[in-house]
Amino acid sequence: MKTVEHQLLIVGGGAAGLRAAIEAQEKIDDVAVISKVRTLRSHSVSAQGGIAASLANIEESEADNWKKHLNDTIEGGVDLVDRDAGEILTRNAGRNVIELEHMGVPFSRTDKGKLDQRPFGGHSMPRALYAADRTGHAIVYALYGENVRHETAFYDEYFVLDLMTGDNSVSGLVAYDIKTGELVVFRAGGIILATGGPSQAYELTSSGKASTGDGLGIALRNGIPLEDMEFIQFHPTGLKARGILITEAARGEGGYLRNDRGERFMKEYEPESVELAPRDRVVRGMQREINEGRGINGENYLHLDLTHLPEEKISQKLPTIRELSMNFAGIDPVERPIPVQPMAHYSMGGIPTDTRGRVQGKEEGVTWNNLYAAGEAACVSVHGANRLGTNSLQEAITFGKRAGRFAAESVRKNHAGDVDRTTVDKYESRLHSLLGGEGSVRCYELRDRLKQTMTGKCGVFRTRHDLEEALRQIHELKEDYSKLTVEDSGKKFNTELKTALELKNMLDYSEVIVEAALARKESRGSHFRTDFPERDDADWLVHSFIYRSSTGKLKRDYRPVSPGT
Amino acid sequence: MEIKFEVSRYNPEKDEGSYYQEFSFSIESDELEELTVLDSLIRLKEEKEGSLTFRHSCGHGSCGSCAMLIDGENRLACKTHLKDMVSGEGSRINISPLPGFPVIKDLVVDLESFFSHDRGVKPYLIGDAGSRAKEELQTPEELERIQEVTQCIMCGACTSSCPTYWDNKKYLGPAAFVRAFRWSEDSRDEGESERMDALDDKRGGVWGCNKIFNCTEACPKDIDTVGAIESLKRKALGF
Ligand SMILES: Cc1cc2nc3c(=O)[nH]c(=O)nc-3n(C[C@H](O)[C@H](O)[C@H](O)COP(=O)(O)OP(=O)(O)OC[C@H]3O[C@@H](n4cnc5c(N)ncnc54)[C@H](O)[C@@H]3O)c2cc1C
Ligand code: FES
């Protein structure tokens, strides 16, 4: 068995993992990043619109400050934002963006050469720093370069299967090298999970294929709770049928949403902010239009209209949008409106952490010793029930950095523990049986059934009836998973096997999403129950925690929103 | 409507070398407008041949995973539309891995040396990283000079199309040069001379470029790769 050892392991090479690695490298010199796709292919490169910070760099944002940013974040998150975490996010946002600038991110500039800012939904001032509409790509490439400078060790195309744990601490993890198919044991004094979001559990999603929430599945398998999983953000403007994201900046720059009659229907639902209301409200407006037959040609999509904007503005501020729209819909937004529909985009919930990134255990107040999480995989509760656009890259940076710092400090005291043979053996035989499987169910079929269930029964509008049906279907899917067959029996670069392993994680956390949605009998942020359409602070101003108990049953627990200092 | 896909197959655990396998692919005629080569490969894998292997992630040209040789040209599979490749019933599309790199399996190539060449040009900002509390100013004009080259997604299409690279694997190749140019040309960067050793190297450096322009044609982001290399040559000469 190949065994590798590092002081600190970071699982995930997106914005959060890469930022964590740089910070850790400042303190210790043996940091490794493991990623199932090559680092530069991580989903973060697709982030388009921007990263939030109240820099007050332009005239329209002169009066901005972190408190306003915090207030907007709390309001957008419908009061489910932990104040202490929110304060850390908004207070440090400016400095963290300046640091990114110093790492070479090619941010767009004002005429005077300062970092330019633009408006984004739910933010009361233009606060988004951006690099054209390739902000995520620009940030990831700069962070990657910084890691090359620091000589971070990269294990690209390694799939992490599970942690080796004992007594609320980790001693390492088990991964398999996708290229060779061999299991590899990584030992470490500390681990940061930065594995990204779970949106691939839905049919239409803006997220990359790797966003299968593996870290969430891994957490559940180790008795770690998931927090606030009922809050899945749907994005208003996915390119029809493809889910390619048309950034909110398109509306920030002045784009309109129109229905089949050509009406700017959002005026009805949100007279003040219209198209720039928080995402959950725009999505519900759109879904209502569609459900009531006012989609374009009565179908399930609407129009995003930019035709009234000057061509120059579109090609300078939204070049990628123009290109994507021409390429994938055959439509030049200068001339014709873009067909769009809502799609799964982001998970506010995730692995619960404190503000240092430390993973929270299933008993309230218990913190894991040397296990951290950051980025979309984590829930430090800065987004509450609904994330504001551009706040998640900032979260990945701010809390990735903090997790990196505190993890590095703690591993100086820890040292790598023993190899846990039972975990290794378990996965050896699991891979063996998947590959030699005589099953009858194909993983792609099972995956598609899961996506249909989640989209149809646990989407924008939810009801008890649908959610119960979703649970039943997921239990059925889980049974079918035991009959799974992998057609490709090869060891090397077996992408079908990878899908089968991801699917296990997807089934596990999808069950939690549905359970959490079923339990929350109110509507708040992205979670909308048609049978409980009102927000209910008396009973539901709480975070939900769900974990798998040692008997295998899911258990639920609620914790208060942190008031902050 | 039926289309034929000829896909290069190679299973390192079984095959001595690669060979082409033909798949017939039926689509509705209105799908022709919508489907990309990547969509088609995914369908083939999921419906017909589970072992067919290729990389992909974002599906819209931003992650750089899916570059391959499609009908003789290096392209991103996710941005290549069937309608641009086939003329009608019975048309054929030939799909092979990116040339010039070792094949791991089917359409998946080994990019280790490609990325190590990239690291060789120090792809990061070199300069005074003191604790400056404010952003370093950069005018829109200064930014404009690097805007095009910052779009590189490291897909490998350019380097894979370069005859100099085919013959000489020490040659850093157009992608690494574009990346060096991106940083050296940044108004905030002071690393030009630090990068010069690698760029001015006899075997690895820019002098291997014979201006064939294969790389510029292959770039899915329309980056003027040769322009960047020519500029680096001038810098190497001290202009
Ligand atoms: C299309 C789109 C546009 C967006 N635009 C914006 C925006 O403009 N502003 C904003 O603030 N937010 C935006 N977001 C949200 C934001 O991009 C994400 O929340 C953020 O990038 C997540 O970063 P991350 O580092 O947590 O995860 P990711 O970038 O998803 O990285 C996850 C990493 O974990 C690795 N990994 C996962 N599982 C495993 C495993 N089992 N083994 C090994 N490695 C594993 C992956 O390989 C990858 O490297 C956007 C999201 C989408 C979908
Ligand atoms: S899949 Fe990302 S570039 Fe093609």
Side-chain angles (χ1 to χ4, degrees):
Chain A
M1 173 75 42
K2 189 171 162 194
T3 306
V4 181
E5 194 172 320
H6 290 283
Q7 271 181 297
L8 178 64
L9 291 175
I10 298 169
V11 188
L18 290 175
R19 186 64 190 86
I22 295 167
E23 200 63 14
Q25 287 279 21
E26 307 271 335
K27 304 215 174 288
I28 55 176
D29 52 14
D30 180 21
V31 179
V33 172
I34 309 179
S35 173
K36 67 177 175 179
V37 297
R38 198 170 263 288
T39 319
L40 289 178
R41 319 286 189 222
S42 295
H43 162 70
S44 288
V45 297
S46 296
Q48 302 174 347
I51 175 166
S54 57
L55 279 179
N57 262 7
I58 61 170
E59 219 178 294
E60 299 87 327
S61 70
E62 240 166 32
D64 204 7
N65 59 43
W66 69 266
K67 285 192 177 148
K68 290 186 181 157
H69 186 185
L70 178 60
N71 283 340
D72 291 345
T73 302
I74 292 172
E75 197 177 307
V78 203
D79 284 341
L80 213 60
V81 172
D82 281 348
R83 302 296 186 275
D84 49 355
E87 187 172 328
I88 291 173
L89 179 87
T90 51
R91 259 182 193 269
N92 292 289
R95 187 164 52 138
N96 288 338
V97 164
I98 300 286
E99 266 171 18
L100 290 175
E101 189 279 323
H102 290 166
M103 292 177 195
V105 175
F107 282 117
S108 297
R109 304 283 177 149
T110 66
D111 288 344
K112 296 208 175 67
K114 288 165 79 169
L115 302 180
D116 195 17
Q117 295 187 286
R118 67 178 168 200
F120 239 81
H123 291 279
S124 57
M125 308 227 159
R127 193 176 277 148
L129 293 303
Y130 62 101
D133 49 10
R134 299 183 289 272
T135 312
H137 175 274
I139 290 176
V140 167
Y141 272 60
L143 293 174
Y144 172 75
E146 226 23 53
N147 274 291
V148 171
R149 182 216 303 280
H150 282 91
E151 297 179 7
T152 303
F154 282 105
Y155 294 88
D156 279 339
E157 304 194 311
Y158 280 69
F159 188 96
V160 173
L161 296 160
D162 214 338
L163 301 173
M164 301 192 292
T165 60
D167 216 8
N168 290 329
S169 64
V170 287
S171 58
L173 55 79
V174 186
Y176 89 95
D177 178 348
I178 296 173
K179 270 166 279 183
T180 62
E182 299 296 338
L183 279 190
V184 182
V185 171
F186 287 81
R187 301 170 66 208
I191 293 177
I192 302 175
L193 295 172
T195 44
S199 298
Q200 277 292 334
Y202 285 84
E203 266 178 326
L204 198 68
T205 171
S206 52
S207 295
K209 288 279 182 221
S211 298
T212 55
D214 298 336
L216 307 180
I218 290 171
L220 283 171
R221 284 201 284 288
N222 287 284
I224 295 165
L226 299 183
E227 181 180 356
D228 288 346
M229 289 303 292
E230 60 272 44
F231 298 106
I232 297 286
Q233 179 169 79
F234 295 83
H235 193 288
T237 52
L239 196 62
K240 181 187 157 225
R242 287 238 167 233
I244 295 173
L245 181 88
I246 305 297
T247 170
E248 188 170 315
R251 282 168 289 136
E253 298 290 356
Y256 300 148
L257 286 168
R258 295 188 193 276
N259 62 17
D260 195 44
R261 303 176 189 156
E263 296 159 344
R264 278 181 73 193
F265 57 88
M266 281 311 298
K267 281 188 181 166
E268 287 287 313
Y269 304 103
E270 301 289 334
E272 263 177 49
S273 41
V274 202
E275 283 91 357
L276 288 177
R279 288 182 179 166
D280 57 319
R281 296 196 238 162
V282 180
V283 162
R284 282 196 294 277
M286 291 174 73
Q287 197 65 46
R288 285 218 172 90
E289 291 297 301
I290 290 170
N291 292 354
E292 287 166 19
R294 290 187 295 279
I296 306 300
N297 304 325
E299 288 181 47
N300 64 349
Y301 70 97
L302 294 153
H303 274 151
L304 172 63
D305 188 1
L306 307 182
T307 54
H308 54 287
L309 301 178
E311 173 166 2
E312 200 184 277
K313 187 166 190 176
I314 295 177
S315 48
Q316 266 181 19
K317 297 266 173 97
L318 304 164
T320 308
I321 291 314
R322 187 172 188 189
E323 192 212 301
L324 288 174
S325 172
M326 302 222 277
N327 214 300
F328 290 101
I331 282 172
D332 183 349
V334 171
E335 283 157 15
R336 285 196 293 154
I338 309 172
V340 292
Q341 59 190 148
M343 62 178 168
H345 183 57
Y346 184 82
S347 162
M348 274 65 79
I351 303 167
T353 70
D354 65 9
T355 58
R356 299 182 163 202
R358 293 183 302 186
V359 170
Q360 301 297 291
K362 60 184 174 217
E363 295 91 15
E364 192 169 349
V366 171
T367 297
W368 280 62
N369 290 322
N370 53 355
L371 180 62
Y372 295 74
E376 194 173 334
C379 178
V380 65
S381 284
V382 289
H383 307 305
N386 179 44
R387 165 188 75 110
L388 297 186
T390 69
N391 264 356
S392 58
L393 277 178
Q394 186 57 262
E395 179 214 2
I397 296 297
T398 299
F399 290 97
K401 180 177 161 187
R402 285 174 73 83
R405 170 167 14 126
F406 293 115
E409 275 171 9
S410 86
V411 296
R412 279 191 295 191
K413 292 172 230 145
N414 276 315
H415 49 84
D418 294 335
V419 173
D420 160 13
R421 236 1 274 192
T422 32
T423 307
V424 178
D425 291 345
K426 186 170 104 192
Y427 282 94
E428 215 152 45
S429 72
R430 171 149 325 151
L431 291 193
H432 195 76
S433 75
L434 273 173
L435 286 177
E438 312 260 281
S440 51
V441 184
R442 301 201 60 206
C443 67
Y444 301 116
E445 180 209 318
L446 213 56
R447 179 204 61 195
D448 290 347
R449 278 164 57 199
L450 174 66
K451 283 170 177 271
Q452 278 159 17
T453 297
M454 293 304 285
T455 308
K457 310 267 179 251
C458 190
V460 176
F461 292 113
R462 301 166 171 181
T463 64
R464 192 188 77 162
H465 176 269
D466 280 354
L467 292 167
E468 282 174 352
E469 177 60 19
L471 265 191
R472 203 189 53 73
Q473 290 178 2
I474 291 174
H475 293 154
E476 215 174 84
L477 290 168
K478 285 187 137 177
E479 260 175 40
D480 284 352
Y481 188 86
S482 61
K483 298 177 224 147
L484 203 68
T485 175
V486 174
E487 219 174 81
D488 187 350
S489 58
K491 282 183 82 169
K492 295 186 178 170
F493 228 99
N494 189 334
T495 51
E496 193 185 359
L497 174 66
K498 188 167 70 123
T499 303
L501 293 164
E502 290 170 341
L503 181 57
K504 174 85 177 75
N505 294 324
M506 290 163 71
L507 287 166
D508 284 347
Y509 67 73
S510 293
E511 188 181 359
V512 173
I513 296 175
V514 178
E515 280 268 1
L518 186 58
R520 187 175 282 273
K521 296 186 181 57
E522 66 152 356
S523 291
R524 182 185 298 272
S526 70
H527 171 70
F528 195 91
R529 289 277 303 255
T530 339
D531 42 358
F532 298 97
E534 300 300 325
R535 153 179 181 175
D536 171 7
D537 278 358
D539 287 327
W540 289 104
L541 195 56
V542 285
H543 297 297
S544 67
F545 283 69
I546 294 183
Y547 61 93
R548 198 172 294 289
S549 72
S550 45
T551 62
K553 278 220 151 30
L554 289 183
K555 291 240 158 117
R556 245 184 310 123
D557 176 18
Y558 292 92
R559 297 182 198 170
V561 177
S562 154
T565 45
Chain B
M1 163 184 207
E2 191 133 299
I3 297 173
K4 303 247 187 271
F5 274 82
E6 295 167 338
V7 186
S8 176
R9 303 295 312 268
Y10 168 66
N11 177 346
E13 287 156 79
K14 279 205 222 125
D15 304 326
E16 302 246 318
S18 63
Y19 61 95
Y20 283 100
Q21 183 177 0
E22 187 177 287
F23 296 96
S24 333
F25 186 60
S26 340
I27 53 168
E28 307 294 327
S29 50
D30 57 340
E31 285 182 311
L32 187 61
E33 272 297 307
E34 286 169 18
L35 290 181
T36 63
V37 168
L38 179 61
D39 298 329
S40 316
L41 287 173
I42 291 174
R43 238 195 237 184
L44 286 175
K45 180 178 179 71
E46 297 190 354
E47 289 168 13
K48 290 202 164 154
E49 177 55 68
S51 69
L52 183 63
T53 305
F54 46 93
R55 291 187 180 105
H56 63 110
S57 183
C58 71
H60 58 260
S62 66
C63 75
S65 302
C66 68
M68 50 187 78
L69 187 71
I70 302 172
D71 274 351
E73 280 177 42
N74 286 350
R75 295 160 165 268
L76 297 178
C78 69
K79 290 194 75 178
T80 305
H81 290 262
L82 284 189
K83 66 171 188 287
D84 300 327
M85 306 307 293
V86 304
S87 41
E89 189 67 39
S91 290
R92 282 169 187 279
I93 298 188
N94 181 288
I95 301 183
S96 313
L98 281 182
F101 300 123
V103 179
I104 296 178
K105 181 174 175 180
D106 293 347
L107 303 171
V108 174
V109 292
D110 186 341
L111 291 172
E112 281 317 312
S113 86
F114 176 72
F115 276 93
S116 89
H117 285 356
D118 178 59
R119 289 192 293 273
V121 299
K122 308 193 179 195
Y124 42 81
L125 193 73
I126 298 173
D128 164 30
S131 59
R132 295 157 295 176
K134 285 238 162 267
E135 73 259 55
E136 191 161 334
L137 298 180
Q138 182 172 53
T139 64
E141 294 71 39
E142 287 167 335
L143 176 62
E144 191 51 38
R145 286 217 297 276
I146 56 167
Q147 200 69 284
E148 183 180 299
V149 279
T150 58
Q151 292 181 59
C152 171
I153 54 172
M154 293 295 283
C155 65
C158 59
T159 299
S160 153
S161 73
C162 172
T164 310
Y165 182 74
W166 297 339
D167 289 345
N168 167 15
K169 292 285 153 28
K170 291 222 159 63
Y171 180 57
L172 294 178
F177 297 143
V178 163
R179 298 261 292 153
F181 177 81
R182 178 257 172 271
W183 289 106
S184 292
E185 199 64 18
D186 192 312
S187 60
R188 300 165 291 178
D189 184 86
E190 292 157 14
E192 195 176 304
S193 57
E194 261 187 63
R195 290 189 192 95
M196 213 27 103
D197 272 355
L199 297 176
D200 198 19
D201 184 77
K202 241 179 145 173
R203 266 181 80 69
V206 284
W207 307 111
C209 172
N210 298 320
K211 293 216 269 178
I212 315 258
F213 286 96
N214 278 7
C215 53
T216 311
E217 274 163 36
C219 178
K221 297 284 165 183
D222 295 329
I223 294 172
D224 177 11
T225 50
V226 172
I229 298 172
E230 287 298 299
S231 161
L232 291 173
K233 284 182 183 169
R234 287 193 295 276
K235 285 178 200 289
L237 292 173
F239 293 127

